[in-house]
Amino acid sequence: MADSSFDIVSKLDRQEVDNALSQAAREIATRFDFKGTGASIEWKGEKAIEITASADDRASAVLSVFQDKLIKRNQSLKILDTSEPRQSGQVSKIDIVLKEGITSEDAKKISKLIRDEGPKGVKAQVQGEELRVSSKKRDDLQAVQQLVKAQDYDFAVQFTNYR
């Protein structure tokens, strides 16, 4: 019998992030506490978002609204790399960079975890920005998924290509 396998990846759903951003922008435009603060949230390039407001606390409130919208759309907050609020002339800005992909160091950490604590006979190999996990038994693969989910990494983890 052939080995069963799955991939561990860290991807973001750009469409869902875009929907969350437009929902947050719509809510900011209509909410009373944001009136007259110049608060806005918008794309800044392909993988970055910029929040602007008249004060640091208003910019942080916009970030909170955006995070709520992401959670409602089942997106992990770990895809966000958020900077501290900074003054830029009269306005306060927060830059958000979207993180995608597993770095080689993170892949090595997961691979070591699987080797050390996972079931015997499970193999993990790094393939670019993803990690392929294979085993003869599907039950072992499910145990590995539970093991990886239980860890608190600083990046979002999804499982794809389950065969």
Side-chain angles (χ1 to χ4, degrees):
M1 189 173 112
D3 281 4
S4 299
S5 68
F6 68 88
D7 295 336
I8 299 175
V9 297
S10 178
K11 290 195 174 66
L12 58 94
D13 188 346
R14 171 126 167 97
Q15 185 63 50
E16 290 293 339
V17 174
D18 190 38
N19 290 343
L21 185 128
S22 59
Q23 279 183 340
R26 216 169 324 152
E27 182 172 326
I28 291 159
T30 57
R31 259 179 51 177
F32 180 75
D33 56 335
F34 288 118
K35 292 274 191 240
T37 61
S40 70
I41 181 170
E42 58 196 20
W43 284 105
K44 182 180 169 188
E46 197 63 21
K47 296 270 186 209
I49 297 170
E50 185 177 63
I51 295 173
T52 54
S54 59
D56 286 355
D57 64 326
R58 291 291 88 204
S60 297
V62 171
L63 176 63
S64 172
V65 168
F66 179 57
Q67 287 174 336
D68 289 346
K69 298 300 179 191
L70 279 176
I71 290 169
K72 284 182 182 167
R73 296 194 151 274
N74 291 330
Q75 297 298 305
S76 172
L77 295 182
K78 293 178 180 179
I79 63 172
L80 304 179
D81 187 12
T82 309
S83 70
E84 290 297 314
R86 61 179 167 75
Q87 285 299 118
S88 176
Q90 295 290 326
V91 296
S92 180
K93 293 186 177 187
I94 297 177
D95 291 322
I96 303 171
V97 178
L98 301 176
K99 296 187 290 187
E100 188 171 32
I102 299 176
T103 64
S104 59
E105 297 90 44
D106 291 334
K108 285 176 186 169
K109 267 194 250 177
I110 296 173
S111 181
K112 182 172 177 10
L113 172 80
I114 292 169
R115 266 197 320 273
D116 294 348
E117 297 181 27
K120 299 290 176 235
V122 176
K123 298 183 288 292
Q125 59 204 63
V126 180
Q127 296 179 332
E129 290 190 341
E130 58 186 41
L131 190 71
R132 168 81 36 100
V133 180
S134 57
S135 171
K136 294 230 181 283
K137 297 181 190 163
R138 286 187 173 214
D139 291 346
D140 289 350
L141 292 180
Q142 289 174 341
V144 168
Q145 284 183 346
Q146 295 305 316
L147 180 68
V148 172
K149 277 183 191 172
Q151 301 300 312
D152 187 30
Y153 293 112
D154 59 346
F155 54 92
V157 176
Q158 294 97 20
F159 305 105
T160 60
N161 263 347
Y162 191 72
R163 300 179 188 162

